[in-house]
Amino acid sequence: MESEKRIEVSFYRSASGAEPVRDWLMKLSREDRLAIGTDIKTVEFGWPVGLPVCRSLGDGLWEVRSTLRNRIARVLFCIEGGVMWLLHGFIKKQQKTPAGEISIAHKRMREILTAIRVVRKGKRS
């Protein structure tokens, strides 16, 4: 693993201030959080990273793939401006990633990209 971060990590935050990925992680066991955190750190320090840790879902959406003791977890993210935005986390219950889980992440990604554009536009004014 590289000794220097290649990208920063930030949690998606809703308009109400909720951080759903952080909240989801805190509900998991310490052991599961450690495994998922290690995989996120691998992406953070080694970007770009491929399988088995990370995979593109298309349209700028990626997944961190974590194998836990008796289940599989996914953290969906996007990269914008050198930041890995953690958008959605879930325990995978079927082979294919459910469309609903991807839809949640896409919605949050659009929110982040819109907010970034507004900030950048404001800096140019």
Side-chain angles (χ1 to χ4, degrees):
M1 188 179 307
E2 298 287 325
S3 61
E4 194 172 305
K5 284 185 185 184
R6 299 240 178 136
I7 53 176
E8 294 294 320
V9 173
S10 287
F11 288 92
Y12 161 83
R13 181 176 291 160
S14 70
S16 66
E19 293 180 330
V21 176
R22 187 186 305 266
D23 295 342
W24 171 75
L25 285 167
M26 295 312 293
K27 292 175 186 171
L28 299 174
S29 71
R30 185 176 189 285
E31 180 182 0
D32 288 351
R33 284 195 311 267
L34 181 61
I36 295 167
T38 298
D39 291 337
I40 291 170
K41 187 175 179 180
T42 296
V43 176
E44 186 178 17
F45 282 82
W47 184 254
V49 177
L51 290 170
V53 175
C54 186
R55 181 175 75 101
S56 171
L57 298 176
D59 297 324
L61 194 61
W62 295 80
E63 67 178 357
V64 172
R65 304 159 54 92
S66 297
T67 302
L68 309 178
R69 184 185 310 198
N70 58 355
R71 53 197 182 155
I72 296 169
R74 296 291 188 258
V75 176
L76 306 185
F77 69 95
C78 67
I79 304 248
E80 180 62 35
V83 177
M84 175 186 187
W85 292 95
L86 305 182
L87 304 169
H88 184 53
F90 61 97
I91 299 298
K92 196 167 175 190
K93 296 179 177 151
Q94 55 197 53
Q95 187 155 357
K96 186 173 181 183
T97 301
E101 306 290 1
I102 293 172
S103 178
I104 291 167
H106 268 125
K107 177 184 174 291
R108 293 173 180 170
M109 181 172 72
R110 284 190 301 273
E111 289 176 31
I112 287 171
L113 296 178
T114 298
I116 288 170
R117 274 193 228 100
V118 167
V119 169
R120 286 180 181 159
K121 187 176 180 181
K123 287 182 178 179
R124 284 188 246 144
S125 298

